[in-house]
Every structure is written in C-alpha cells, then in structure tokens.
Amino acid sequence: MAKKYDGVQRESTRRTEQSDISDLAHLSKRVKHSSLSESSKFEYGNMEPDRVDPGQRENFKLTCPKIKDHDKFIPIAEFKNEDLPVEYQSTDLIQSVMALADLTVRVRCKYTSSSRPKVHQASGTVYPFYRDRGRNNIIRTGTGRVWHVMMLENSGEPCSCHRCEGTKTRQGRITILTATHVVFNSSEARATSVDFFFDDESRSSCVTLKAEEVYVADAVSDRCYFDCYTCDVELLQKLSKIWIKWLTLCKTVREEHQNSEAEIKLAIMVAHPHGLPKQVSVGRWFEIQDSVDSVHFYTYDCPTCPGSSGAYVYTLARQGWWSNHVHSGANLSLNYSGSGIDWGWCTVAASTT
C-alpha cells in the first residue's frame, strides 16, 4: 500500500517542489538563447499556439501552414505498436504513451495579459499574441501535461471547479506543465480552462477545470507551471495513479533502450493540434546542448501544428522523472522544445492510497 501523507507533510513537499522549480527557472534564465543563435545559426521560426477567432473554428483546414502534417497525426484510440519503428515496438512503450496521453490536457485561454513582452528574447521576433494584449475575445489553444497531483486535507477553501461552483471545499491541487507563451501569467491562468481526457469528439470522458494561478513561468525557457483545484476526489486519485504508472513505465522503457544501437532516436508527442482531440505523432529527436549544466533543448521532426505548443516531448531513453521539455515552436525544417533538463529517477511516493 502506498504511503499516505498528512496535510503538513504534503505542504512541505510543495515547498520543496517550488524551491526546486524556482531553482530551475533561475538556471534557465542563465541560458542565453541569443548566444546559441549566434554560435549555431539556429533559426527559431514560429511558436505554435493556436489562435481561434470567433466563428473561425473550421478555417484551420484551409489555412494551416502545416496542412501536409495533418494525415500524420494518429488519434489516440487508433495508436498501436505498428505505428512505431520495428526496433521500438513493445508493450511497455505503448502503455507508457497511453499513460502520457491520459496526463495530456487541452489548454484554452481567452485573455491576453498586458504584461506580455514585445519581443521574444531568443528569436528577436514579436512575442506571440503581443498585439492582442488586453483582449478577452480571442481564444488560443495549446497543450499541457499533468505535472503533479496533491491531496489537500482540510483546506477549508471553497472550490471553484465547474462541478460544484464553490459549494464544496478544495480536496486537491493539479499542477499543469505547458509553454509560457500559451499561459503567460496568473491573469491569463484565471481565464484558462483545462480539458482532461478529451480523447474524442464525443467528450464522453472529458472533465474541465478552471486554472487558478501560475506557480512558476519563465519566458526564456518557455516553461509554465500553473495550478487547478478541485473537490473531485475520484479525479485526483485517478490522475495520481496514472502519474505513478507513467513514471514507472518511463523508467522501464528508458532501461530497455538506454544502450540501444538503433539508428532512430525516437521522439513521441501527444498533443491537441488545432484544439482537436488527442493526437499522437512519432518522429526522431536531436539534442542541442544549450549552455550550462544539463539545461538544453531538443529539435525533432514529430508532426506538429498550431495548438501543439506546450505538449510534452517524450525523448525515448533520455527522459528522467523530472524531464520537462515542452513543445515550443517550429522552423522551416524542424520543431524545437523549450529549454529543460533530463534529471534522473527517485522513488515515487503516492499521495493517495
């Protein structure tokens, strides 16, 4: 039976977590993307959130600049072993991708903060949605991943989820990892909805929560962590079990393939391109060492589209329990992630029984 923590211990865990992530944010600020651009001539291209103008939802089929990639997306319900290179086909890998899919969320934000910078530091181009600052009639969509789940015993604070609208108290917190250009700060978070288990158009399993506040966000590394709260104990327990399963399977897959001589360095993404139900894309990754310590970002050729921003980049045999690379953008030849790390493994302790 997994260990069950009391409220004090869990809040202590939260403070340690926040310190760790703040340290990583500080570290990423030392990474000078401009230096990388000058030394390697890396072309950043465009970031890939999806902008949804009122009444224009279906236009992406005609106007998407990456329409050639649409046929390469695999609906999550149809993903199977045969979609992987032969040398990587395994039950463990399929199960790890399915667990990742269960942790993948669609992010929808309807407000653009006036605090967004004018220029993206790495590329020198206009920062996404800068020209929409202060507007609340433009919806943008992106993708995120459940980063952590924590139970909150006796919080006493009213819940704001769609399920109860304040009639119950918060029972737990779900932290989401996405790209900062998708959700820039807490003012944008408070105008953000998060769709869990949006697997098909029927939305039969979909659960929607309101985002509340940004936990840590850094425009340089393009990583944002924000929190949702809910009174739905069943949802919290379900996500916690999936999160543990995901980490366990990732460790198994890493050990299976860490010394592989396979020519293909496999990369997998689960995303919500154009705000659609979950799609899997498979490709190859290429590492670019960014600057200091183990901070780096990846380039890869997994199919992506607007709306893929913030999706977790699963780099097979590289990911650790703290891996936090999310899809950021694309240039004319490759896609690239935000900066992050691939730190190792620890014993995974459940926050629920």
Side-chain angles (χ1 to χ4, degrees), residues 273-307:
H274 298 292
L276 298 173
K278 289 172 194 167
Q279 308 286 318
V280 182
S281 58
V282 179
R284 299 166 297 169
W285 62 263
F286 313 88
E287 181 185 356
I288 295 181
Q289 191 66 35
D290 207 339
S291 182
V292 295
D293 301 331
S294 57
V295 177
H296 54 274
F297 70 95
Y298 289 98
T299 55
Y300 40 90
D301 60 7
C302 302
T304 64
C305 267

mmCIF file of all heavy atoms in Angstrom, residues 273-307:
data_model
loop_
_atom_site.group_PDB
_atom_site.id
_atom_site.type_symbol
_atom_site.label_atom_id
_atom_site.label_comp_id
_atom_site.label_asym_id
_atom_site.label_seq_id
_atom_site.Cartn_x
_atom_site.Cartn_y
_atom_site.Cartn_z
ATOM 1 N N PRO A 273 -3.494 19.339 -31.492
ATOM 2 C CA PRO A 273 -3.311 20.285 -32.606
ATOM 3 C C PRO A 273 -4.650 20.898 -33.018
ATOM 4 O O PRO A 273 -5.659 20.197 -33.143
ATOM 5 C CB PRO A 273 -2.720 19.404 -33.716
ATOM 6 C CG PRO A 273 -3.121 18.003 -33.359
ATOM 7 C CD PRO A 273 -3.140 17.962 -31.868
ATOM 8 N N HIS A 274 -4.658 22.201 -33.178
ATOM 9 C CA HIS A 274 -5.872 22.938 -33.535
ATOM 10 C C HIS A 274 -6.995 22.743 -32.520
ATOM 11 O O HIS A 274 -8.175 22.928 -32.852
ATOM 12 C CB HIS A 274 -6.349 22.549 -34.942
ATOM 13 C CG HIS A 274 -5.354 22.870 -36.018
ATOM 14 N ND1 HIS A 274 -5.039 24.166 -36.376
ATOM 15 C CD2 HIS A 274 -4.573 22.050 -36.785
ATOM 16 C CE1 HIS A 274 -4.132 24.131 -37.349
ATOM 17 N NE2 HIS A 274 -3.821 22.868 -37.599
ATOM 18 N N GLY A 275 -6.631 22.378 -31.288
ATOM 19 C CA GLY A 275 -7.642 22.192 -30.259
ATOM 20 C C GLY A 275 -8.462 20.927 -30.426
ATOM 21 O O GLY A 275 -9.478 20.743 -29.736
ATOM 22 N N LEU A 276 -8.019 20.040 -31.302
ATOM 23 C CA LEU A 276 -8.757 18.812 -31.580
ATOM 24 C C LEU A 276 -8.496 17.763 -30.491
ATOM 25 O O LEU A 276 -7.591 17.916 -29.668
ATOM 26 C CB LEU A 276 -8.339 18.261 -32.946
ATOM 27 C CG LEU A 276 -8.633 19.173 -34.142
ATOM 28 C CD1 LEU A 276 -8.017 18.592 -35.408
ATOM 29 C CD2 LEU A 276 -10.143 19.346 -34.315
ATOM 30 N N PRO A 277 -9.269 16.662 -30.476
ATOM 31 C CA PRO A 277 -8.980 15.584 -29.531
ATOM 32 C C PRO A 277 -7.544 15.072 -29.693
ATOM 33 O O PRO A 277 -6.904 15.297 -30.729
ATOM 34 C CB PRO A 277 -10.007 14.507 -29.909
ATOM 35 C CG PRO A 277 -11.147 15.262 -30.503
ATOM 36 C CD PRO A 277 -10.505 16.397 -31.257
ATOM 37 N N LYS A 278 -7.052 14.381 -28.688
ATOM 38 C CA LYS A 278 -5.641 13.972 -28.634
ATOM 39 C C LYS A 278 -5.182 13.234 -29.879
ATOM 40 O O LYS A 278 -5.851 12.343 -30.385
ATOM 41 C CB LYS A 278 -5.425 13.057 -27.423
ATOM 42 C CG LYS A 278 -5.490 13.772 -26.102
ATOM 43 C CD LYS A 278 -5.459 12.778 -24.962
ATOM 44 C CE LYS A 278 -5.877 13.476 -23.677
ATOM 45 N NZ LYS A 278 -6.159 12.505 -22.613
ATOM 46 N N GLN A 279 -3.981 13.638 -30.309
ATOM 47 C CA GLN A 279 -3.332 13.011 -31.450
ATOM 48 C C GLN A 279 -1.907 12.645 -31.060
ATOM 49 O O GLN A 279 -1.236 13.407 -30.355
ATOM 50 C CB GLN A 279 -3.303 13.971 -32.640
ATOM 51 C CG GLN A 279 -4.639 14.577 -33.012
ATOM 52 C CD GLN A 279 -5.568 13.608 -33.688
ATOM 53 O OE1 GLN A 279 -5.140 12.828 -34.546
ATOM 54 N NE2 GLN A 279 -6.844 13.639 -33.313
ATOM 55 N N VAL A 280 -1.441 11.506 -31.547
ATOM 56 C CA VAL A 280 -0.066 11.066 -31.314
ATOM 57 C C VAL A 280 0.752 11.350 -32.564
ATOM 58 O O VAL A 280 0.275 11.162 -33.693
ATOM 59 C CB VAL A 280 -0.002 9.560 -30.998
ATOM 60 C CG1 VAL A 280 1.438 9.117 -30.712
ATOM 61 C CG2 VAL A 280 -0.902 9.224 -29.812
ATOM 62 N N SER A 281 1.970 11.830 -32.382
ATOM 63 C CA SER A 281 2.886 11.986 -33.508
ATOM 64 C C SER A 281 4.225 11.354 -33.140
ATOM 65 O O SER A 281 4.689 11.447 -32.005
ATOM 66 C CB SER A 281 3.058 13.460 -33.889
ATOM 67 O OG SER A 281 3.524 14.219 -32.802
ATOM 68 N N VAL A 282 4.827 10.712 -34.118
ATOM 69 C CA VAL A 282 6.059 9.937 -33.908
ATOM 70 C C VAL A 282 7.140 10.456 -34.845
ATOM 71 O O VAL A 282 6.875 10.741 -36.020
ATOM 72 C CB VAL A 282 5.810 8.435 -34.179
ATOM 73 C CG1 VAL A 282 7.091 7.637 -33.981
ATOM 74 C CG2 VAL A 282 4.695 7.904 -33.274
ATOM 75 N N GLY A 283 8.347 10.608 -34.312
ATOM 76 C CA GLY A 283 9.443 11.083 -35.139
ATOM 77 C C GLY A 283 10.786 10.811 -34.492
ATOM 78 O O GLY A 283 10.933 9.887 -33.682
ATOM 79 N N ARG A 284 11.768 11.614 -34.832
ATOM 80 C CA ARG A 284 13.133 11.478 -34.298
ATOM 81 C C ARG A 284 13.522 12.740 -33.546
ATOM 82 O O ARG A 284 13.068 13.834 -33.883
ATOM 83 C CB ARG A 284 14.134 11.260 -35.445
ATOM 84 C CG ARG A 284 13.901 10.022 -36.275
ATOM 85 C CD ARG A 284 14.713 10.091 -37.556
ATOM 86 N NE ARG A 284 14.274 11.220 -38.394
ATOM 87 C CZ ARG A 284 14.937 11.650 -39.464
ATOM 88 N NH1 ARG A 284 16.072 11.077 -39.813
ATOM 89 N NH2 ARG A 284 14.475 12.662 -40.171
ATOM 90 N N TRP A 285 14.379 12.595 -32.535
ATOM 91 C CA TRP A 285 14.859 13.763 -31.808
ATOM 92 C C TRP A 285 16.347 13.966 -32.050
ATOM 93 O O TRP A 285 17.089 13.044 -32.384
ATOM 94 C CB TRP A 285 14.587 13.657 -30.308
ATOM 95 C CG TRP A 285 15.256 12.508 -29.576
ATOM 96 C CD1 TRP A 285 14.693 11.304 -29.272
ATOM 97 C CD2 TRP A 285 16.590 12.464 -29.053
ATOM 98 N NE1 TRP A 285 15.581 10.514 -28.587
ATOM 99 C CE2 TRP A 285 16.761 11.197 -28.435
ATOM 100 C CE3 TRP A 285 17.651 13.372 -29.030
ATOM 101 C CZ2 TRP A 285 17.951 10.810 -27.815
ATOM 102 C CZ3 TRP A 285 18.842 12.994 -28.412
ATOM 103 C CH2 TRP A 285 18.978 11.727 -27.809
ATOM 104 N N PHE A 286 16.762 15.232 -31.879
ATOM 105 C CA PHE A 286 18.166 15.622 -31.997
ATOM 106 C C PHE A 286 18.435 16.593 -30.862
ATOM 107 O O PHE A 286 17.736 17.601 -30.736
ATOM 108 C CB PHE A 286 18.441 16.316 -33.328
ATOM 109 C CG PHE A 286 17.857 15.601 -34.508
ATOM 110 C CD1 PHE A 286 16.556 15.870 -34.924
ATOM 111 C CD2 PHE A 286 18.585 14.662 -35.201
ATOM 112 C CE1 PHE A 286 15.999 15.229 -36.017
ATOM 113 C CE2 PHE A 286 18.042 14.001 -36.299
ATOM 114 C CZ PHE A 286 16.742 14.283 -36.701
ATOM 115 N N GLU A 287 19.418 16.327 -30.047
ATOM 116 C CA GLU A 287 19.682 17.206 -28.900
ATOM 117 C C GLU A 287 20.585 18.361 -29.294
ATOM 118 O O GLU A 287 21.551 18.188 -30.031
ATOM 119 C CB GLU A 287 20.339 16.422 -27.769
ATOM 120 C CG GLU A 287 20.613 17.274 -26.540
ATOM 121 C CD GLU A 287 21.382 16.520 -25.471
ATOM 122 O OE1 GLU A 287 21.641 15.329 -25.640
ATOM 123 O OE2 GLU A 287 21.736 17.162 -24.474
ATOM 124 N N ILE A 288 20.274 19.544 -28.785
ATOM 125 C CA ILE A 288 21.172 20.689 -28.900
ATOM 126 C C ILE A 288 21.507 21.135 -27.488
ATOM 127 O O ILE A 288 20.630 21.566 -26.743
ATOM 128 C CB ILE A 288 20.534 21.855 -29.675
ATOM 129 C CG1 ILE A 288 20.295 21.438 -31.130
ATOM 130 C CG2 ILE A 288 21.429 23.087 -29.617
ATOM 131 C CD1 ILE A 288 19.681 22.527 -31.977
ATOM 132 N N GLN A 289 22.753 21.007 -27.100
ATOM 133 C CA GLN A 289 23.146 21.445 -25.762
ATOM 134 C C GLN A 289 23.076 22.963 -25.703
ATOM 135 O O GLN A 289 23.638 23.649 -26.557
ATOM 136 C CB GLN A 289 24.567 20.983 -25.436
ATOM 137 C CG GLN A 289 24.960 21.154 -23.989
ATOM 138 C CD GLN A 289 24.151 20.253 -23.062
ATOM 139 O OE1 GLN A 289 23.806 19.149 -23.430
ATOM 140 N NE2 GLN A 289 23.859 20.725 -21.865
ATOM 141 N N ASP A 290 22.398 23.482 -24.698
ATOM 142 C CA ASP A 290 22.072 24.893 -24.725
ATOM 143 C C ASP A 290 23.129 25.796 -24.091
ATOM 144 O O ASP A 290 23.507 26.791 -24.647
ATOM 145 C CB ASP A 290 20.728 25.103 -24.030
ATOM 146 C CG ASP A 290 20.025 26.347 -24.555
ATOM 147 O OD1 ASP A 290 20.691 27.219 -25.123
ATOM 148 O OD2 ASP A 290 18.817 26.451 -24.362
ATOM 149 N N SER A 291 23.572 25.456 -22.889
ATOM 150 C CA SER A 291 24.578 26.338 -22.307
ATOM 151 C C SER A 291 25.204 25.723 -21.070
ATOM 152 O O SER A 291 26.302 25.204 -21.119
ATOM 153 C CB SER A 291 23.964 27.707 -21.968
ATOM 154 O OG SER A 291 24.949 28.550 -21.449
ATOM 155 N N VAL A 292 24.495 25.761 -19.942
ATOM 156 C CA VAL A 292 25.128 25.398 -18.686
ATOM 157 C C VAL A 292 24.539 24.121 -18.113
ATOM 158 O O VAL A 292 23.390 23.778 -18.327
ATOM 159 C CB VAL A 292 24.956 26.530 -17.642
ATOM 160 C CG1 VAL A 292 25.690 27.767 -18.084
ATOM 161 C CG2 VAL A 292 23.490 26.849 -17.418
ATOM 162 N N ASP A 293 25.377 23.411 -17.346
ATOM 163 C CA ASP A 293 24.962 22.201 -16.646
ATOM 164 C C ASP A 293 24.211 21.277 -17.616
ATOM 165 O O ASP A 293 24.676 21.008 -18.688
ATOM 166 C CB ASP A 293 24.120 22.547 -15.413
ATOM 167 C CG ASP A 293 24.890 23.424 -14.436
ATOM 168 O OD1 ASP A 293 26.130 23.296 -14.411
ATOM 169 O OD2 ASP A 293 24.286 24.222 -13.725
ATOM 170 N N SER A 294 23.043 20.796 -17.214
ATOM 171 C CA SER A 294 22.306 19.848 -18.054
ATOM 172 C C SER A 294 21.137 20.503 -18.777
ATOM 173 O O SER A 294 20.278 19.831 -19.321
ATOM 174 C CB SER A 294 21.780 18.695 -17.188
ATOM 175 O OG SER A 294 20.964 19.199 -16.144
ATOM 176 N N VAL A 295 21.086 21.820 -18.783
ATOM 177 C CA VAL A 295 19.989 22.509 -19.441
ATOM 178 C C VAL A 295 20.206 22.503 -20.954
ATOM 179 O O VAL A 295 21.265 22.853 -21.445
ATOM 180 C CB VAL A 295 19.856 23.961 -18.936
ATOM 181 C CG1 VAL A 295 18.761 24.688 -19.689
ATOM 182 C CG2 VAL A 295 19.569 23.967 -17.447
ATOM 183 N N HIS A 296 19.182 22.099 -21.679
ATOM 184 C CA HIS A 296 19.298 22.001 -23.130
ATOM 185 C C HIS A 296 17.898 22.011 -23.721
ATOM 186 O O HIS A 296 16.904 21.985 -23.006
ATOM 187 C CB HIS A 296 20.017 20.709 -23.531
ATOM 188 C CG HIS A 296 19.390 19.482 -22.949
ATOM 189 N ND1 HIS A 296 19.701 19.006 -21.700
ATOM 190 C CD2 HIS A 296 18.432 18.658 -23.422
ATOM 191 C CE1 HIS A 296 18.978 17.935 -21.437
ATOM 192 N NE2 HIS A 296 18.192 17.703 -22.460
ATOM 193 N N PHE A 297 17.818 22.058 -25.035
ATOM 194 C CA PHE A 297 16.533 21.852 -25.680
ATOM 195 C C PHE A 297 16.723 20.879 -26.827
ATOM 196 O O PHE A 297 17.838 20.537 -27.205
ATOM 197 C CB PHE A 297 15.900 23.167 -26.138
ATOM 198 C CG PHE A 297 16.573 23.858 -27.281
ATOM 199 C CD1 PHE A 297 16.130 23.661 -28.568
ATOM 200 C CD2 PHE A 297 17.631 24.734 -27.068
ATOM 201 C CE1 PHE A 297 16.726 24.308 -29.639
ATOM 202 C CE2 PHE A 297 18.229 25.395 -28.114
ATOM 203 C CZ PHE A 297 17.785 25.187 -29.416
ATOM 204 N N TYR A 298 15.617 20.383 -27.340
ATOM 205 C CA TYR A 298 15.651 19.391 -28.405
ATOM 206 C C TYR A 298 15.089 19.961 -29.704
ATOM 207 O O TYR A 298 14.196 20.809 -29.690
ATOM 208 C CB TYR A 298 14.805 18.171 -28.031
ATOM 209 C CG TYR A 298 15.392 17.303 -26.949
ATOM 210 C CD1 TYR A 298 14.973 17.434 -25.633
ATOM 211 C CD2 TYR A 298 16.350 16.339 -27.246
ATOM 212 C CE1 TYR A 298 15.509 16.634 -24.635
ATOM 213 C CE2 TYR A 298 16.887 15.535 -26.257
ATOM 214 C CZ TYR A 298 16.464 15.677 -24.950
ATOM 215 O OH TYR A 298 16.985 14.889 -23.968
ATOM 216 N N THR A 299 15.597 19.428 -30.805
ATOM 217 C CA THR A 299 14.902 19.572 -32.077
ATOM 218 C C THR A 299 14.428 18.177 -32.466
ATOM 219 O O THR A 299 15.022 17.168 -32.068
ATOM 220 C CB THR A 299 15.813 20.146 -33.168
ATOM 221 O OG1 THR A 299 16.987 19.328 -33.292
ATOM 222 C CG2 THR A 299 16.217 21.568 -32.844
ATOM 223 N N TYR A 300 13.366 18.132 -33.258
ATOM 224 C CA TYR A 300 12.759 16.831 -33.600
ATOM 225 C C TYR A 300 11.854 17.031 -34.798
ATOM 226 O O TYR A 300 11.502 18.164 -35.168
ATOM 227 C CB TYR A 300 11.968 16.272 -32.414
ATOM 228 C CG TYR A 300 11.189 17.319 -31.656
ATOM 229 C CD1 TYR A 300 9.883 17.645 -31.985
ATOM 230 C CD2 TYR A 300 11.795 18.040 -30.615
ATOM 231 C CE1 TYR A 300 9.192 18.632 -31.305
ATOM 232 C CE2 TYR A 300 11.112 19.022 -29.927
ATOM 233 C CZ TYR A 300 9.805 19.318 -30.277
ATOM 234 O OH TYR A 300 9.129 20.308 -29.597
ATOM 235 N N ASP A 301 11.478 15.917 -35.417
ATOM 236 C CA ASP A 301 10.651 16.017 -36.617
ATOM 237 C C ASP A 301 9.270 15.395 -36.437
ATOM 238 O O ASP A 301 8.610 15.069 -37.432
ATOM 239 C CB ASP A 301 11.368 15.406 -37.828
ATOM 240 C CG ASP A 301 11.706 13.927 -37.644
ATOM 241 O OD1 ASP A 301 11.277 13.328 -36.628
ATOM 242 O OD2 ASP A 301 12.393 13.365 -38.522
ATOM 243 N N CYS A 302 8.828 15.242 -35.191
ATOM 244 C CA CYS A 302 7.444 14.796 -34.968
ATOM 245 C C CYS A 302 6.486 15.787 -35.632
ATOM 246 O O CYS A 302 6.674 16.995 -35.509
ATOM 247 C CB CYS A 302 7.114 14.742 -33.476
ATOM 248 S SG CYS A 302 8.158 13.677 -32.493
ATOM 249 N N PRO A 303 5.451 15.317 -36.307
ATOM 250 C CA PRO A 303 4.475 16.255 -36.873
ATOM 251 C C PRO A 303 3.824 17.095 -35.775
ATOM 252 O O PRO A 303 3.432 16.572 -34.727
ATOM 253 C CB PRO A 303 3.444 15.329 -37.527
ATOM 254 C CG PRO A 303 4.192 14.059 -37.802
ATOM 255 C CD PRO A 303 5.158 13.918 -36.664
ATOM 256 N N THR A 304 3.730 18.388 -36.006
ATOM 257 C CA THR A 304 3.061 19.302 -35.072
ATOM 258 C C THR A 304 2.272 20.322 -35.873
ATOM 259 O O THR A 304 2.480 20.484 -37.073
ATOM 260 C CB THR A 304 4.067 20.056 -34.179
ATOM 261 O OG1 THR A 304 4.892 20.890 -35.007
ATOM 262 C CG2 THR A 304 4.942 19.103 -33.376
ATOM 263 N N CYS A 305 1.378 21.008 -35.178
ATOM 264 C CA CYS A 305 0.580 22.065 -35.775
ATOM 265 C C CYS A 305 0.305 23.113 -34.710
ATOM 266 O O CYS A 305 0.540 22.867 -33.515
ATOM 267 C CB CYS A 305 -0.756 21.514 -36.301
ATOM 268 S SG CYS A 305 -0.744 21.023 -38.036
ATOM 269 N N PRO A 306 -0.217 24.281 -35.088
ATOM 270 C CA PRO A 306 -0.685 25.213 -34.070
ATOM 271 C C PRO A 306 -1.653 24.500 -33.118
ATOM 272 O O PRO A 306 -2.541 23.767 -33.540
ATOM 273 C CB PRO A 306 -1.390 26.286 -34.903
ATOM 274 C CG PRO A 306 -0.640 26.282 -36.197
ATOM 275 C CD PRO A 306 -0.322 24.847 -36.452
ATOM 276 N N GLY A 307 -1.447 24.730 -31.828
ATOM 277 C CA GLY A 307 -2.203 24.016 -30.808
ATOM 278 C C GLY A 307 -1.363 22.945 -30.133
ATOM 279 O O GLY A 307 -1.721 22.440 -29.064
#
